[in-house]
Amino acid sequence: MLVLGISAFYHDSAAALIRDGEIIAAAQEERFTRKKHDPDFPANAIAYCLRQGKVDAAGIDRVVFYEKPFLKFERLIETYLAFAPKGFASFRKSMPLWIGEKLFQRDLLLRELKEIDPALGDKAKLRFSEHHFSHAASAYYPSPFQSALVLTMDGVGEWATTSAAIGEGSSLKITKEIHFPHSLGLLYSAFTYYTGFKVNSGEYKVMGLAPYGEPKYVNAIFDHLIDVKDDGSFRLNQDYFGYCTGLTMTNERFDALFGGPPRRASDPLEQRHMDLAASVQAATEEIVLRLTRSLANETGQRNLCLAGGVALNCVANGKILRDGRFDQIFIQPAAGDAGGALGAALAVYFKENGEAAIKNAKRPDAMHGSYLGPSYEQSDIEQRLKAAGAVFTVVDDEQLLEKTAAALAAGQAVGWHQGRMEFGPRALGNRSILGDPRSPSMQKALNLKVKYRESFRPFAPSVLREHVADWFELDADSPYMLLVAPVKSERCRKMSAQELALFGIDRLNVQRSEIPAVTHVDYSARVQTVHKETNPRYYDLISRFEAMTGCPVLINTSFNVRGEPIVNTPEDAFRCFMGSEIEFLAVGNCILLKDQQNQALKLDYKNAFELD
């Protein structure tokens, strides 16, 4: 049975294809259109999935949309009625869009599908899955567990904002929900907005900024904004928020509580903003831990699956793991709405096939390392690079590893474009910018000269799985860069009294460990474990770097500049190479050096994209 899943029309549109429960392909639309968080119908991603699956539209048995639009419309109407007459201006602006597109989304979907191929737009094939069920399915079915608790937390689906489900074999059932407007994701997004970052894309900046501050406002959050019970259930005080009745996340009462209006994106970051970030992060961790502890006690489950946008909060995830209530945790790498496309497909497959759809828990990684996007043959790479005007040399595998590892050891920023593109927001070693984590200046240099983004942003370490416990307080798989763990104390250096007295961004330049470029100011790191089974070429590169330097760790950040989607094609990689200060680029077995390129092809990527 072939099932095509689709998410679209909000943000991070995507498509995914499964065959008899096996994940064949998945990709976000933004990677093809080059439009960050592209919400439009994923025509390019669908076309890719069909090519990868070597199937035509007639061969698709089901097409599944990741949520139920009519239930969303119902929420909009009921929310307006609950708050009327407040919010009429917002209601009036949004209603034409909802009536024109959302209420009749079935017809819109069928039209878009027919444009790709009439056979794809057969209404008998079309199904809809509930938003949170799609998230839950995306995490449970690819997990290695035959039984698990599944916790989904995000902004809002149709009505649910937090849900708990139980997976048993091929069965998955949601057992508890918290409904809009009470939302942990929207609480975090309110602080994202208030501290001057973009909602639905800047939340990870708040998480990265948090260690520079002190959680001074935690009591204010719990006293005024959110009432949290011992079991983690909660209610938000809508007197402080604007998302139900207005066009902003927060309102004047929120401003008064936290000492001023929202920060504009162009304003400098102050210590108060860092303290606000630290406070909402601490509150989020407390609420999540109450939820997971309560659900562990109630269900007796020892395996946990996580999905939804809040599951991308890798600091909270690390604390769940260290809390010890669960033996194993699986986090869907595309935990946000893009992953809903995959979950929708899996949900319908297992629902329609019942017990005949045996969940394969023996497979170590049904997500295939999340390497589910397009790849390019060597001959194709060479043709594409030539057409783009690139100057390159073709080397064998041994030379590729040796030259790339040598460039890294020499302190160069390396673009690494190999194999199948990753699905989800993280580059996991196939569309990555790499660097030497031992360099005290590399973190700042990569942020300011390569990524063109804020200097405080941390970078993740990729570490060989067998060495993770030697360098970090973690001895578990973390293939998707979704767990934060402390750097081993013996790898750290103590800060002097003078250094300890520093505040905020001034802490950035203090060397804290043997791998300072990936050690955050609180001595933590967002760890990716690299496994030979899922990414042998990247594993071999890190092994070669270790042979040269004694360090089995590399800096790994996504191959893009701020505001740009992660690169997809060899041409995307070359453009980013020529538009940034990356010095060395490896695309397949092609090596490109910056000083050998035609300088007329140099691009200004620093100002090409707005802040994300």
Side-chain angles (χ1 to χ4, degrees):
M1 184 179 189
L2 279 159
V3 184
L4 178 69
I6 299 171
S7 65
F9 306 132
Y10 182 45
H11 60 95
D12 294 308
S13 294
L17 179 68
I18 66 168
R19 178 185 282 118
D20 298 330
E22 175 80 8
I23 303 169
I24 303 300
Q28 295 108 297
E29 185 70 1
E30 66 164 18
R31 306 295 170 83
F32 303 93
T33 63
R34 314 308 300 153
K35 178 183 174 185
K36 187 88 166 180
H37 303 300
D38 193 342
D40 293 337
F41 182 79
N44 295 285
I46 291 171
Y48 154 68
C49 287
L50 296 178
R51 288 195 307 272
Q52 184 66 31
K54 297 181 174 60
V55 61
D56 60 23
I60 299 295
D61 298 294
R62 296 286 183 269
V63 179
V64 193
F65 193 64
Y66 80 126
E67 62 184 12
K68 296 189 174 181
F70 192 80
L71 288 178
K72 261 198 165 176
F73 185 77
E74 176 187 80
R75 169 168 58 82
L76 186 77
I77 295 292
E78 289 196 21
T79 300
Y80 169 67
L81 291 173
F83 287 89
K86 284 173 66 178
F88 179 71
S90 171
F91 177 80
R92 185 179 60 192
K93 284 183 179 180
S94 61
M95 191 49 54
L97 174 69
W98 275 91
I99 291 176
E101 287 189 11
K102 309 297 185 183
L103 187 57
F104 301 105
Q105 208 160 74
R106 179 189 178 92
D107 295 337
L108 174 63
L109 282 166
L110 290 170
R111 285 199 306 272
E112 295 279 10
L113 289 164
K114 284 176 182 175
E115 282 197 20
I116 297 174
D117 191 299
L120 210 56
D122 179 355
K123 62 183 178 183
K125 294 181 178 181
L126 186 60
R127 300 288 187 275
F128 294 85
S129 174
E130 286 199 22
H131 186 106
H132 266 233
F133 196 83
S134 296
H135 276 315
S138 78
Y140 173 63
Y141 287 119
S143 80
F145 312 137
Q146 284 285 18
S147 175
L149 168 70
V150 188
L151 179 61
T152 299
M153 301 168 286
D154 63 3
V156 60
E158 293 89 359
W159 277 104
T161 68
T162 301
S163 64
I166 298 295
E168 293 279 357
S170 60
S171 169
L172 179 65
K173 293 181 180 177
I174 291 179
T175 57
K176 283 187 170 184
E177 291 182 339
I178 296 172
H179 284 182
F180 181 87
H182 310 293
S183 166
L184 185 56
L186 291 177
L187 174 69
Y188 208 94
S189 291
F191 280 85
T192 301
Y193 165 81
Y194 188 70
T195 51
F197 302 117
K198 284 187 178 179
V199 172
N200 291 328
S201 66
E203 283 77 6
Y204 60 95
K205 295 186 187 182
V206 176
M207 183 179 67
L209 191 62
Y212 293 95
E214 300 293 331
K216 295 178 179 178
Y217 300 100
V218 167
N219 288 341
I221 291 172
F222 286 127
D223 289 345
H224 296 278
L225 301 188
I226 188 166
D227 176 28
V228 187
K229 304 303 182 188
D230 289 342
D231 65 357
S233 60
F234 54 83
R235 292 182 65 83
L236 293 187
N237 183 351
Q238 292 303 309
D239 292 342
Y240 291 87
F241 300 94
Y243 57 80
C244 282
T245 59
L247 300 175
T248 59
M249 291 299 299
T250 60
N251 60 22
E252 294 83 357
R253 289 192 68 173
F254 194 102
D255 297 353
L257 182 63
F258 295 111
R263 170 182 166 264
R264 293 174 301 185
S266 58
D267 292 343
L269 280 165
E270 299 172 354
Q271 188 61 47
R272 182 172 70 94
H273 303 121
M274 302 172 203
D275 294 340
L276 286 162
S279 300
V280 72
Q281 179 64 33
T284 298
E285 291 165 13
E286 172 65 23
I287 295 164
V288 168
L289 284 172
R290 287 194 198 182
L291 279 167
T292 52
R293 288 167 180 169
S294 170
L295 290 167
N297 290 337
E298 181 182 324
T299 65
Q301 289 287 342
R302 299 298 300 173
N303 299 318
L304 174 67
C305 299
L306 294 172
V310 178
L312 294 172
N313 193 309
C314 47
V315 180
N317 295 343
K319 293 196 172 181
I320 294 171
L321 180 65
R322 290 191 294 280
D323 194 47
R325 304 303 171 99
F326 297 94
D327 297 329
Q328 298 180 85
I329 299 177
F330 178 86
I331 308 159
Q332 166 54 240
D337 278 8
L342 175 61
L346 289 165
V348 164
Y349 171 74
F350 279 94
K351 180 181 179 181
E352 294 199 5
N353 288 276
E355 290 303 315
I358 303 300
K359 183 181 185 306
N360 185 355
K362 295 179 182 177
R363 178 184 297 282
D365 183 8
M367 282 295 296
H368 305 287
S370 209
Y371 306 113
L372 297 168
S375 63
Y376 299 87
E377 296 293 333
Q378 180 64 26
S379 59
D380 189 23
I381 290 170
E382 293 174 27
Q383 287 181 346
R384 288 168 176 264
L385 290 177
K386 283 177 185 175
V391 177
F392 58 90
T393 55
V394 179
V395 297
D396 61 23
D397 290 353
E398 176 65 23
Q399 290 175 306
L400 176 72
L401 297 174
E402 188 68 18
K403 289 178 181 292
T404 307
L408 289 163
Q412 294 186 342
V414 169
W416 183 250
H417 181 290
Q418 305 290 334
R420 295 184 70 177
M421 182 180 69
E422 299 89 341
F423 180 51
R426 306 280 178 249
L428 300 170
N430 279 4
R431 301 291 186 276
S432 293
I433 298 171
L434 308 176
D436 185 348
R438 303 169 303 154
S439 168
S441 61
M442 185 60 76
Q443 190 232 1
K444 192 169 185 179
L446 282 178
N447 268 328
L448 298 179
K449 293 185 178 182
V450 175
K451 301 283 281 190
Y452 302 128
R453 66 186 196 180
E454 302 92 341
S455 62
F456 70 82
R457 303 267 290 274
F459 288 109
S462 290
V463 58
L464 299 179
R465 172 61 180 93
E466 60 267 32
H467 290 300
V468 64
D470 300 330
W471 291 80
F472 306 97
E473 296 293 345
L474 177 70
D475 193 9
D477 293 349
S478 181
Y480 305 129
M481 209 184 283
L482 285 169
L483 292 171
V484 163
V487 176
K488 277 278 192 182
S489 57
E490 55 265 37
R491 302 286 183 183
C492 297
R493 63 171 287 270
K494 287 187 177 180
M495 295 170 69
S496 67
Q498 187 177 9
E499 290 168 338
L500 286 169
L502 296 173
F503 284 95
I505 298 296
D506 292 333
R507 300 179 188 176
L508 178 64
N509 297 321
V510 176
Q511 186 170 343
R512 291 170 293 279
S513 77
E514 293 177 35
I515 44 174
V518 294
T519 304
H520 208 12
V521 291
D522 59 355
Y523 288 93
S524 71
R526 177 162 51 96
V527 179
Q528 178 200 3
T529 54
V530 179
H531 305 248
K532 194 172 183 67
E533 299 78 13
T534 51
N535 199 333
R537 179 165 279 194
Y538 190 39
Y539 181 95
D540 289 344
L541 175 64
I542 301 174
S543 298
R544 186 62 56 93
F545 181 77
E546 181 195 17
M548 287 183 181
T549 66
C551 179
V553 182
L554 286 178
I555 298 171
N556 176 12
T557 188
S558 57
F559 197 159
N560 62 327
V561 301
R562 63 110 195 263
E564 179 197 23
I566 295 173
V567 301
N568 175 6
T569 66
E571 296 95 326
D572 295 338
F574 180 64
R575 281 192 296 270
C576 191
F577 173 62
M578 294 303 293
S580 67
E581 296 183 44
I582 297 171
E583 298 150 289
F584 181 107
L585 174 61
V587 185
N589 285 67
C590 297
I591 287 178
L592 296 79
L593 306 179
K594 180 61 68 63
D595 58 11
Q596 294 179 359
Q597 304 306 311
N598 179 354
Q599 293 306 299
L601 298 176
K602 190 169 174 59
L603 300 168
D604 178 18
Y605 261 39
K606 188 171 186 178
N607 299 304
F609 301 93
E610 63 178 88
L611 278 169
D612 54 5

